[in-house]
Amino acid sequence: MENPPSLDELIRALRCLPGVGPKSAQRMAFHLLQRDHDGARRLADGLNLALGRIRHCGKCNTFTEAEMCVVCASVRRDPTLLCVVETPADLAVMEQTQSYAGHYFVLMGRLSPLDGIGPREIHLDRLLQRASDGVVKEVILATNFTVEGEATAHYVSELLGDKGVKVTRIARGLPVGGELEHVDSGTLAQALLERRPA
Amino acid sequence: MENPPSLDELIRALRCLPGVGPKSAQRMAFHLLQRDHDGARRLADGLNLALGRIRHCGKCNTFTEAEMCVVCASVRRDPTLLCVVETPADLAVMEQTQSYAGHYFVLMGRLSPLDGIGPREIHLDRLLQRASDGVVKEVILATNFTVEGEATAHYVSELLGDKGVKVTRIARGLPVGGELEHVDSGTLAQALLERRPA
Ligand SMILES: [Zn+2]
Ligand SMILES: [Zn+2]
């Protein structure tokens, strides 16, 4: 026996979530329909609300509902420091260290030629422009210490090498292959402290 | 820095999905907003469509969009056999064995007093009524071989014991503690074949 069409469609739709295969999608759909209609409605509304409201900060590229995110809009942050991270999640863990008071640039990805993600996709033109604005004195590369994160850091470092701006890389206090999201704040704070010329 | 409110709300809403903790919810939200707006829209629509259309079959209790599901509506099924399963997913795997041509009753759960799931919550009154309709000759208990599934089978067996209907249990071809969903069709077909009086 097949599922009713709208149930099958819901199962298919749930598979757009990362890490969700056919079995978990079915389990999720059954759970929502059997036991959590309120949760399902809230999720549908949450998706539509976020789709309608969330955009990218005009300055740093992270998620925001306003023209500019709270970090970029703050007058208390040091405008001479620009930290480059891969994702808004990485920006969030940097902030959790409470040891950085500069600005950010969020790539929204990392170089990955095999996936068709090149310099344009991670907005390196905007990063270059930002780093060359005369205000920024140091660009801190805080991409992940994965193969792709390292390649991205190397590429950005080369790109900014002759623009008269200091380019540093957070220290490899992180385990090789490690991702910022999965490291404790202390380790990350240390890595930030020990940043070296890139 | 905190996330924008609508992003935080989406992350919270995603946690209604079984098996999704705070980290995965954040990863899912970022993925949808960064890379898959179409998927997010489709998921929101899929949730609303399913919520609007899916109801329970008036006869067997499984998910359906019509008054009655396709199994219950079929004239080719043997009306003297009634197989009791815990969920629509279990009904689906029973059908995949292609070795059962009777009807079903879907409990939409299993007895679990600690979770507040008693006889009423799994519709045993309706099952009793159905099993006593004079047409059903045999009730096949195909609940899981977990502690709760076994307790449910035992309870239903006692309940139907003096109603003049034969009550059988699918054979324990399944591993102890195993769940129907995770067993191959051949094993399940064998277990069905070797069912014994309950
Ligand atoms: Zn910003
Ligand atoms: Zn039915």
Side-chain angles (χ1 to χ4, degrees), chain A residues 83-142:
Chain A
C83 180
V84 178
V85 292
E86 295 182 16
T87 68
D90 294 338
L91 188 159
V93 287
M94 285 296 294
E95 286 296 287
Q96 280 161 26
T97 68
Q98 298 188 307
S99 47
Y100 180 69
H103 283 258
Y104 291 97
F105 188 86
V106 183
L107 300 172
M108 288 288 171
R110 75 285 305 157
L111 287 178
S112 181
L114 292 177
D115 301 315
I117 301 175
R120 188 198 310 261
E121 283 69 31
I122 58 172
H123 317 283
L124 291 192
D125 47 341
R126 280 176 55 199
L127 171 58
L128 186 59
Q129 196 177 358
R130 179 85 185 276
S132 317
D133 65 0
V135 180
V136 172
K137 301 294 177 209
E138 179 179 354
V139 172
I140 303 170
L141 303 174

Side-chain angles (χ1 to χ4, degrees), chain B residues 57-62 64 68-73 91 104 130:
Chain B
C57 172
K59 215 171 162 189
C60 78
N61 214 19
T62 198
T64 176
M68 206 177 276
C69 77
V70 288
V71 170
C72 290
L91 189 159
Y104 291 97
R130 179 85 185 276

Side-chain angles (χ1 to χ4, degrees), chain A residues 42-43, chain B residues 5-17 25:
Chain A
R42 188 178 172 185
L43 179 52
Chain B
S6 61
L7 176 53
D8 266 340
E9 167 54 22
L10 174 56
I11 293 171
R12 270 194 302 275
L14 282 162
R15 297 201 50 195
C16 74
L17 299 171

Side-chain angles (χ1 to χ4, degrees), chain A residues 117-196:
Chain A
I117 301 175
R120 188 198 310 261
E121 283 69 31
I122 58 172
H123 317 283
L124 291 192
D125 47 341
R126 280 176 55 199
L127 171 58
L128 186 59
Q129 196 177 358
R130 179 85 185 276
S132 317
D133 65 0
V135 180
V136 172
K137 301 294 177 209
E138 179 179 354
V139 172
I140 303 170
L141 303 174
T143 54
N144 288 316
F145 280 99
T146 54
V147 174
E148 290 169 347
E150 285 275 58
T152 304
H154 184 73
Y155 191 96
V156 172
S157 166
E158 296 275 298
L159 193 69
L160 300 177
D162 57 346
K163 302 292 168 188
V165 63
K166 188 174 163 193
V167 183
T168 56
R169 179 86 168 105
I170 55 170
R172 193 193 289 269
L174 289 73
V176 176
E179 301 187 325
L180 264 70
E181 261 196 87
H182 304 112
V183 160
D184 64 278
S185 293
T187 308
L188 190 55
Q190 191 63 26
L192 185 66
L193 191 74
E194 292 181 7
R195 64 185 185 270
R196 52 177 176 71

Side-chain angles (χ1 to χ4, degrees), chain A residues 6 33 37 41, chain B residues 46-55 65:
Chain A
S6 62
L33 292 171
H37 280 215
R41 249 183 298 272
Chain B
L47 287 161
N48 285 323
L49 191 73
L51 283 171
R53 291 205 184 159
I54 296 290
R55 45 179 158 167
E65 291 183 5

